[in-house]
Amino acid sequence: DIQMTQSPSSLSASVGDRVTITCRASQSISSYLNWYQQKPGKAPKILIYAASNLQSGVPSRFSGGGSGTDFTLTITSLQPEDFATYYCQQSYSTPFTFGPGTKVDIK
Amino acid sequence: QLQLQESGPGLVKPSETLSLTCTVSGGSISSSSDYWGWIRQPPGKGLEWIGSISYSGTTYDNPSLKSRVTMSVDMSKNQFSLKLTSVTAADTAVYYCARTGDKGTWYFDLWGRGTLVTVSS
């Protein structure tokens, strides 16, 4: 199985901050990397697919990058509604696996 | 607008079988490009992909569940289902059904609200 790690596991930030979350795969997954946002008590929501493609309806302050084993999710200007947990997911091979999550909370 | 909704018992006894159904509304489950999946999340923990199935019955599942998983599709009811046998407390989780709308990239673009299943006697 491909193992996914994320860093940091949590971070505190202020509204307007630029935030970057890193995801690393245990082997190369090309660009088969997706990012989700999850708020408490809610289902995850897709933000970015195939490493850098913004899902329709997702604000442009979210962006993704990377390929191979190292990926990033960047939020350019953090908004109050962005405080949530973010997960990466590899879709290169089954079993599809998720990272452990990065919780973004208010400083 | 396509929507997914999970249903099933919220409490299952250890060693019994967990059975959940996901009803697809606002569209057809028979799309050749879609796969229908199950993902679970133990309380306070991360996400685990259980498996996915196409309308024609092609399945992909997670070997970590050691063949305890059976998935099926009922096109007449626009539903797909999950059965997980021999459950233990470790199977207590929120279970989500989700769609993969692009099997080339295999991301989950539409999710149900989730249903909590507790395994306890």
Side-chain angles (χ1 to χ4, degrees):
Chain A
D1 298 4
I2 297 174
Q3 307 304 316
M4 307 300 294
T5 58
Q6 287 182 234
S7 60
S9 57
S10 65
L11 65 91
S12 296
S14 301
V15 173
D17 283 354
R18 179 186 179 95
V19 169
T20 298
I21 298 167
T22 297
C23 176
R24 178 165 290 173
S26 61
Q27 67 182 73
S28 176
I29 57 171
S30 184
S31 295
Y32 291 90
L33 191 283
N34 311 305
W35 289 98
Y36 300 84
Q37 176 194 68
Q38 187 179 33
K39 296 181 179 179
K42 301 293 186 181
K45 170 189 170 184
I46 183 70
L47 298 175
I48 302 285
Y49 65 93
S52 61
N53 294 274
L54 191 69
Q55 175 72 355
S56 176
V58 174
S60 59
R61 62 181 179 273
F62 291 93
S63 64
S67 66
T69 60
D70 295 321
F71 301 86
T72 58
L73 173 70
T74 298
I75 311 170
T76 53
S77 178
L78 201 64
Q79 297 301 299
E81 60 268 30
D82 300 337
F83 293 96
T85 300
Y86 294 85
Y87 293 94
C88 60
Q89 175 233 338
Q90 66 82 15
S91 53
Y92 180 79
S93 66
T94 60
F96 302 131
T97 47
F98 292 84
T102 295
K103 185 176 181 181
V104 177
D105 61 23
I106 301 173
K107 181 184 274 186
Chain B
Q1 177 181 354
L2 203 65
Q3 293 185 323
L4 308 180
Q5 178 67 61
E6 305 87 352
S7 59
L11 181 64
V12 181
K13 290 183 168 57
S15 80
E16 295 190 345
T17 296
L18 178 161
S19 296
L20 295 175
T21 296
C22 183
T23 300
V24 179
S25 59
S28 174
I29 201 171
S30 306
S31 168
S32 60
S33 62
D34 293 344
Y35 269 72
W36 307 96
W38 294 95
I39 295 126
R40 70 180 182 178
Q41 185 171 36
K45 296 188 178 180
L47 300 159
E48 179 183 29
W49 174 73
I50 298 170
S52 297
I53 185 169
S54 71
Y55 80 98
S56 61
T58 301
T59 59
Y60 298 91
D61 58 32
N62 194 330
S64 71
L65 293 166
K66 294 183 174 62
S67 302
R68 296 193 292 134
V69 169
T70 302
M71 293 177 288
S72 59
V73 171
D74 187 335
M75 285 189 284
S76 67
K77 294 182 179 178
N78 229 32
Q79 295 176 335
F80 60 103
S81 298
L82 170 72
K83 291 188 188 300
L84 180 66
T85 61
S86 305
V87 297
T88 69
D91 296 310
T92 293
V94 175
Y95 285 75
Y96 296 100
C97 59
R99 182 188 75 168
T100 297
D102 177 354
K103 60 184 178 185
T105 50
W106 277 101
Y107 64 95
F108 302 101
D109 64 345
L110 189 64
W111 296 64
R113 292 184 175 183
T115 187
L116 174 62
V117 178
T118 301
V119 178
S120 175
S121 55

